[in-house]
Amino acid sequence: MNCLFCSIIEKKFPSKILYEDKTVIALEDKNPQAPVHILLLPKKHISTVLEAKPEDNELIGHLFQIANKIAKDRGVAEKGFRIVMNCNREAGQTVYHLHLHLLAGRPMRWPPG
Ligand code: 5GP
Ligand code: ZN
């Protein structure tokens, strides 16, 4: 399988890793869309949220806990932040390894583009 995020997780491809534990990793997005733009990935390869199984619930919940921790550590929690997960082409998914985007540091519009 040829997956960019699996290569990053295996340290075969460079990235700015901000947090890592047994099951998840957080890194700076290489093309940031806001002053804070962090990606949170499970180390397990799950291509889209459609492939997430009930046994992945704890893992995906853990991703949100780490997003909370990073938002607090970065000092953006109180002001506000956005968590986004794109699924498939029309939503703009480009890397088929499930991930959350944590975006903050500027006002966000609604509805999203
Ligand atoms: P998606 O479009 O799938 O929701 O999000 C993929 C994200 O991965 C994009 O925001 C894109 O900028 C980011 N990205 C793509 N290639 C790389 C890379 O090599 N390193 C890092 N850190 N981010 C990447
Ligand atoms: Zn992968």
Side-chain angles (χ1 to χ4, degrees), residues 1-7 9 42-47 95-98:
M1 188 193 352
N2 192 5
C3 170
L4 172 65
F5 285 173
C6 282
S7 300
I9 290 159
K43 289 187 172 175
K44 175 182 176 183
H45 181 89
I46 301 170
S47 55
V95 180
Y96 283 77
H97 180 125
L98 183 150

Side-chain angles (χ1 to χ4, degrees), residues 58-102:
E58 195 179 327
L59 175 61
I60 291 168
H62 184 51
L63 275 186
F64 280 88
Q65 291 303 320
I66 301 306
N68 283 348
K69 177 181 159 31
I70 292 173
K72 288 177 193 157
D73 290 350
R74 286 289 184 104
V76 297
E78 199 181 323
K79 248 186 165 178
F81 57 92
R82 187 170 288 177
I83 291 175
V84 173
M85 184 188 288
N86 297 320
C87 182
N88 279 342
R89 183 171 32 86
E90 205 161 298
Q93 186 173 6
T94 57
V95 180
Y96 283 77
H97 180 125
L98 183 150
H99 53 281
L100 299 180
H101 297 254
L102 170 62

